[in-house]
Amino acid sequence: MATTDKTESTARAAWLRKELNRHGYAYHVLDAPTIPDAEYDKLFRELQALEEAHPELVRDDSPTQRVGGAPLGQFEQVTHTVPMLSLGNGFEDEDIVAFDRRVREGLEDKGLPPGEEVEYSTELKFDGLAINLRYEDGLLVQAATRGDGATGENVTANIRTVYDIPLRLHTEHPPKVVDIRGEVLMFKADFAKMNARQRDAGLKEFANPRNAAAGSLRQLDSRVTAQRALRFFAYGIGSLEGAAMPATHSDLLDWYGTLGVNVCKERAIVRGADGLLSFFRQIGQKRPHLPYEIDGVVYKVNRLEQQATLGFVSRAPRFALAHKFPAEEAMTLLLGIEVQVGRTGAITPVARLAPVFVGGVTVTNATLHNEDEVRRKDIRIGDTVIVRRAGDVIPEVLGCVAEMRPADAAEFVMPTVCPICGSAIVRTEDEAVARCSGGWVKCSAQRKGSLLHFVSRRAMDVEGLGDQLVEQLVDKNVVTTAADLYSKLDLTSLATLDRMAEKSAQNVLKALEKSKTTTLARFIYALGIRHVGESTAKELARHFGNLDAVLHASEAQLLEVADIGPVVAQSLKAYFADPLNVELVAQLRAAGIVWPEQESENRPKPLLGKTFVLTGTLPNLTRDQAAQMIEEQGGKVSGSVSKKTSYVVAGEEAGSKLAKAEELGVPVLDEHGLHRLLADVRTDVTH
């Protein structure tokens, strides 16, 4: 090695060790990460490469020689009987193919027939906190965090507050000792509820469910932990005494299930690299719909004797690998902040970013939500910021890296006039959102947003009228209101628009004609009344039965409708008190939009008070059709399963909701069962 190269490599390795240790401490000990996981992984891989190329640079204090971070001083320290090692990471398909090849080569030396594919157990990589649960004679006696892999923190009192961790194993013949390893995490819905409580109490919000779970488990007061909805999934084992070790990893997880220990159902047994990659892609598609956060999947050689044959390297097993999804968080520069105007006039600050690859796509814009959020997060133009993108969710700026702030970073100033129409921007005392006061009459941005909402699938469902077409219709003054869609559009007017062939124009006109026959609930929802979502629109239609009754309802009458409170009632009254809105409704009805109407609904609702959850693909019904049938009988359709769920209606590929229903003992119906239930309740009503 040349002297200059050696000096540079030595200095770079020292800097990387210092940075990684600093960020590792913030992540593992303080539960306050300073950089995204992807950025940490990049620095870690660089240090690994340097040390592999120059072994003399390896130091005992290198992050490559350890796992996790030091335990917190406030907790008693626990020495793990079997070290809790972390996994090596794979990021590309090539990494997985190479992993499978290394496994086969390692096993062929011990008798695996050449060309035979290895059997793997595949599961999810949870984004939570690793825990070791020690049971002696079936009783939970100790729970410890991973810590530095050899020594962790005693969090037994807090773990006892996690309801899905059994205090005693469900067996008459427990092993003398078993260390059950797994992940403590917080589900997305519980995380949202907890942050809402934090906001209401004026307390700091958690950045993500992982931080929330770690922070909750490391509370010195276990009563605080008990108020947090923590969950546990088992995925591994440490010591085992007084019982035979299962033959495979999948058998181990099945055994845990018989002991009353929670095990994730999203797992499979596959063969070879193709099987591993197929599982990875399947989970990638499911990921946005899972109730918890994951950042990848884990592959383990299934047979435990083969795991023992393969053994370990210094910090990770050779028989397992974590295959990470594309980074959902990344750092980039905030180049500027602009504002967008929504269909209700809401002014949303939008971050203009130096392009950054995150969550599988290149991101250049991200939402900042509102002015208060910008102030709370202390985000300034010129900052290095952390951007998050999960699934199809709009990218958002989580916060800034304050230590990297330049001297000339500038604070954001909310404009006083709408950038689209020049109307004043106003903000009431009881709202976090500022709004353009121009309304859809003056503001083309609100006009476009209102029209796009009106034609959307769950509203009037006009196929073919997308963003680009609506934008042209508004910009060229072809259409001003939703009523104009029916009265002013014809082949001639549509033909003047860019990229609009005659066939496409005919399809749009056919879709408009088809949309004229709808339901009252869809029509109310399509109007885009503030605070009136799809569910509220359905309740209004069900309660009043016809539109005129809604139009003339008093605030007191509106408050009688299920799920409607003072804010929604006032919004409805204000909307129908505006002559422009009343005229719009009259024009839409005159254009031929019709729906079945009836007198105010007084008929019995046999499913009133019953909650249904739909999951999977039904043979003959769409989700919307099944929901409508349930709601017509007074039932409510929810998106998540809980103890209060009355029925789960499950089709093919039902997934985690079905598993949750079975776990809670919620009755499960197939499509035939749903039809039978509806027929029975109708019969009961008529008798």
Side-chain angles (χ1 to χ4, degrees), residues 210-232:
R210 190 266 168 200
N211 283 12
S216 300
L217 201 55
R218 284 169 163 157
Q219 291 288 329
L220 295 178
D221 185 347
S222 60
R223 292 171 298 182
V224 176
T225 308
Q227 296 169 5
R228 312 276 175 85
L230 298 178
R231 316 289 185 99
F232 176 80

Side-chain angles (χ1 to χ4, degrees), residues 465-501:
L465 269 175
D467 292 30
Q468 292 183 346
L469 187 54
V470 167
E471 191 164 330
Q472 288 189 72
L473 290 171
V474 173
D475 289 344
K476 295 185 178 183
N477 294 318
V478 178
V479 168
T480 301
T481 72
D484 293 342
L485 295 172
Y486 298 95
S487 62
K488 292 186 178 180
L489 290 191
D490 54 26
L491 282 176
T492 302
S493 59
L494 287 171
T496 64
L497 304 177
D498 296 338
R499 289 174 289 189
M500 179 57 67

